[in-house]
């Protein structure tokens, strides 16, 4: 059971380039999330999805887009990368949104924008 | 605004006990979570509190006081593998998770 798989694990981009981070989960979870983690700060929610075909903005959505065409996949896109988007990105999934819904995280994707 | 406060770093000795505090000010409360994150790895779930009191799970316990906006994570019989960051997160009235910056715990032999 793989859980949550993120690709790629590392990426270096130049300012203005675009890229897509892929998240896949095999636990049949309804909810999926994209977070970024920066030194000295808590995890910040970028976008999330409450089911196949749905997406919603989180706390810091600007500069990112997402898609959830299939229940098991949640893609995070950067259309025109900026140095401020240098961060570690974590995808997570949960069975539901309320109650004690435990998040299962992927291993993270470290992105550097030069 | 919403805020979660945790100490940035703590040091403890192998075999000892350590308490990591978390205070929060959020718009509503629908539960508090503790996650463990080893360096370079993903956060993993430790505990969940929604009612006041102590939840015990092996060497780890978590306490909640909703009236004080306060929680702590208690780690007993510390082992070297407990060296990690411990993240406190509160679910607000919109069921959104608000995360603290984490407490880096260093265990010394």
């Amino acid at each position: 059971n793989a859980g949550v798989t993120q690709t790629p694990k590392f990426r270096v981009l130049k300012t203005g380039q675009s890229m897509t981070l892929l998240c896949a989960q095999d636990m049949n979870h309804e909810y999926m999330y994209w977070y970024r983690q920066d030194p000295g700060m808590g995890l910040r929610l970028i976008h999330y999805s409450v089911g196949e075909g749905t997406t919603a903005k989180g706390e810091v959505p600007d500069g990112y887009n997402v898609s959830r065409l299939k229940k098991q996949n949640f893609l995070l896109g950067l259309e025109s990368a900026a140095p401020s988007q240098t961060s570690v990105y974590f995808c997570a999934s949960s069975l539901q949104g309320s109650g004690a819904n435990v998040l299962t995280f992927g291993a993270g994707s470290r992105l550097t924008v030069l | 605004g919403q805020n979660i406060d945790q100490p940035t770093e703590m040091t403890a000795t192998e075999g000892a006990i350590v308490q990591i505090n978390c205070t929060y000010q959020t718009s509503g409360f629908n539960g508090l979570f503790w996650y463990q994150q080893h360096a370079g790895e993903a956060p993993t779930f430790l505990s969940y509190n929604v009612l006041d009191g102590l939840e015990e799970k092996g060497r780890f316990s978590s306490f909640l006081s909703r009236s004080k906006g306060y929680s702590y994570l208690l780690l007993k019989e510390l082992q070297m593998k407990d060296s990690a960051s411990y993240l406190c997160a509160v679910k607000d009235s919109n069921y959104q998770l608000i995360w603290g910056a984490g407490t880096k715990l260093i265990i010394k032999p």
Side-chain angles (χ1 to χ4, degrees):
Chain A
N1 194 342
V4 179
T5 304
Q6 291 181 230
T7 52
K9 288 188 167 48
F10 301 94
R11 184 74 187 270
V12 178
L13 289 177
K14 294 182 180 178
T15 297
Q17 287 185 317
S18 62
M19 76 159 295
T20 300
L21 296 176
L22 173 63
C23 177
Q25 53 95 3
D26 61 2
M27 297 171 288
N28 202 33
H29 283 174
E30 288 295 331
Y31 285 63
M32 296 188 75
Y33 314 81
W34 275 107
Y35 284 95
R36 60 178 290 173
Q37 187 174 43
D38 300 293
M41 301 181 74
L43 287 163
R44 291 184 292 168
L45 184 63
I46 303 171
H47 285 281
Y48 64 101
S49 168
V50 302
E52 181 179 312
T54 74
T55 62
K57 294 180 180 179
E59 180 188 355
V60 288
D62 294 343
Y64 305 94
N65 57 74
V66 287
S67 65
R68 183 115 182 253
L69 299 179
K70 292 183 178 180
K71 185 177 183 178
Q72 63 267 36
N73 295 337
F74 195 30
L75 278 64
L76 178 71
L78 284 72
E79 294 174 342
S80 179
S84 61
Q85 294 177 304
T86 293
S87 188
V88 179
Y89 292 85
F90 285 100
C91 176
S93 70
S94 65
L95 195 57
Q96 57 183 9
S98 60
N101 64 309
V102 173
L103 298 184
T104 301
F105 284 85
S109 298
R110 183 175 293 274
L111 175 65
T112 302
V113 183
L114 303 175
Chain B
Q2 308 203 89
N3 196 47
I4 310 282
D5 286 317
Q6 307 177 231
T8 302
E9 188 174 295
M10 300 181 70
T11 303
T13 305
E14 189 177 15
I17 299 172
V18 71
Q19 177 176 312
I20 302 174
N21 296 326
C22 171
T23 59
Y24 62 90
Q25 300 93 39
T26 56
S27 56
F29 178 84
N30 280 298
L32 185 144
F33 297 80
W34 285 96
Y35 281 76
Q36 180 190 59
Q37 185 177 25
H38 286 100
E41 297 184 9
T44 55
F45 171 76
L46 284 178
S47 69
Y48 170 72
N49 294 72
V50 67
L51 298 176
D52 291 350
L54 189 69
E55 293 280 343
E56 296 187 81
K57 217 187 252 188
R59 294 188 299 114
F60 293 10
S61 303
S62 56
F63 171 83
L64 174 67
S65 169
R66 288 172 296 169
S67 62
K68 295 182 179 178
Y70 168 69
S71 173
Y72 66 73
L73 182 68
L74 192 71
L75 290 73
K76 302 177 186 176
E77 301 169 14
L78 286 170
Q79 301 175 10
M80 297 304 293
K81 68 178 182 179
D82 298 329
S83 291
S85 289
Y86 292 85
L87 313 181
C88 174
V90 173
K91 189 167 286 187
D92 68 12
S93 57
N94 294 320
Y95 296 95
Q96 297 291 333
L97 272 176
I98 311 301
W99 294 82
T103 299
K104 183 178 181 180
L105 179 63
I106 299 168
I107 309 296
K108 296 186 174 179

